[in-house]
Amino acid sequence: MKIDILTLFPEMFAPLYESIIGRAQKAGKVEIKLHDIREYSLNKHKKCDDYPFGGGAGMVMMPQPVFDAINAVDPDHKAKRIYTSPRGKTLSQTMVKDLATRENLLILCGHYEGLDERIIELCIDEEVSIGDYVLTGGELPAMVMVDSVCRYVDGVIAKESLSEESFSEGLLEYPQYTRPQEFMGLKVPEVLTSGNHAEVDKWRKEKSLELTKKYRPDLLEK
Ligand code: ADE
């Protein structure tokens, strides 16, 4: 899978070179390319923002540098083009799985008060939000998307991890324990050390249901 990220702040993406996503990149499972929108500005000061028509607070990302960047990076519109925006559809595990089936993704990160609307009309396939709150820019949402999507790319993490995690069956994941068997007076549930796999499975299913009822009853209503 190839993911192109268009941003005014490429330095913000250092976390994608660490841990699991960093290893996946080194192993060639995913290719993540950062593109600095500023480099496409035809303005002699590399300006990329301007005042909003009609007045109001803040600045708006100018169309020219963004339009040229998108067309240079994805000239044949092979990629699914996403714009990170609080007004977009809220990212869900179902959307993540769907995005992971694509060969090419392009993520455009918004910044300032927003982006000239004409870019969305001309170039963007889908607007995606990561929740009902407003961030200073789309860089963190882009990283959230890349991280959640890359987990589904073959060879990035173990297949079993994907089938037994929260949301995979519409339920939250069961609790996990590791050594020692007793910590600060609290013991690991006996069934987990019994060696009886059927009983372990049964306990985990019950706990998944119990935790979902407690923390996310809305998931059971769906
Ligand atoms: N940009 C600012 N806030 C955002 C959000 N919640 N989701 C996606 N992009 C954003």
Side-chain angles (χ1 to χ4, degrees), residues 18-213:
E18 301 293 331
S19 182
I20 294 172
I21 307 302
R23 282 202 295 279
Q25 288 201 71
K26 280 197 192 115
K29 311 268 182 218
V30 289
E31 188 187 348
I32 301 168
K33 285 195 93 175
L34 298 170
H35 306 272
D36 188 347
I37 296 167
R38 212 171 290 281
E39 284 174 13
Y40 293 87
S41 174
L42 298 176
N43 177 280
K44 66 174 178 220
H45 304 294
K46 299 280 174 205
K47 188 173 142 81
C48 287
D49 61 336
D50 211 334
Y51 294 98
F53 276 124
M59 303 292 271
V60 176
M61 282 168 82
M62 290 157 59
Q64 177 275 317
V66 181
F67 186 81
D68 288 355
I70 292 174
N71 286 304
V73 168
D74 180 36
D76 306 318
H77 201 153
K78 275 209 276 183
K80 168 141 178 155
R81 298 172 174 179
I82 294 165
Y83 174 55
T84 55
S85 157
R87 79 178 186 194
K89 193 169 164 192
T90 309
L91 189 68
S92 65
Q93 198 73 349
T94 311
M95 279 161 77
V96 164
K97 281 185 202 170
D98 174 61
L99 292 174
T101 64
R102 311 279 175 143
E103 273 298 303
N104 295 82
L105 294 177
L106 180 153
I107 307 176
L108 170 63
C109 304
H111 225 91
Y112 310 120
E113 283 306 304
L115 172 66
D116 188 292
E117 190 69 22
R118 290 165 293 186
I119 291 296
I120 297 168
E121 216 172 291
L122 290 168
C123 308
I124 295 299
D125 297 318
E126 191 168 11
E127 291 179 71
V128 177
S129 163
I130 61 160
D132 287 344
Y133 41 83
V134 180
L135 300 163
T136 56
E139 283 73 18
L140 289 169
M143 278 188 267
V144 167
M145 253 180 270
V146 168
D147 187 283
S148 56
V149 166
C150 287
R151 296 177 71 250
Y152 281 94
V153 172
D154 263 356
V156 172
I157 58 171
K159 282 218 164 65
E160 309 80 67
S161 303
L162 296 173
S163 58
E164 292 190 2
E165 68 192 1
S166 287
F167 309 113
S168 64
E169 311 248 9
L171 296 177
L172 299 181
E173 197 186 4
Y174 47 79
Q176 298 276 20
Y177 298 87
T178 186
R179 283 185 288 191
Q181 279 201 30
E182 188 174 331
F183 183 71
M184 304 290 271
L186 297 177
K187 293 196 174 109
V188 171
E190 239 166 66
V191 60
L192 297 179
T193 53
S194 68
N196 184 335
H197 296 299
E199 283 299 313
V200 170
D201 281 350
K202 187 165 157 264
W203 180 88
R204 286 179 165 170
K205 284 206 179 85
E206 283 165 9
K207 284 288 165 189
S208 272
L209 196 59
E210 196 179 304
L211 290 177
T212 310
K213 267 188 198 151

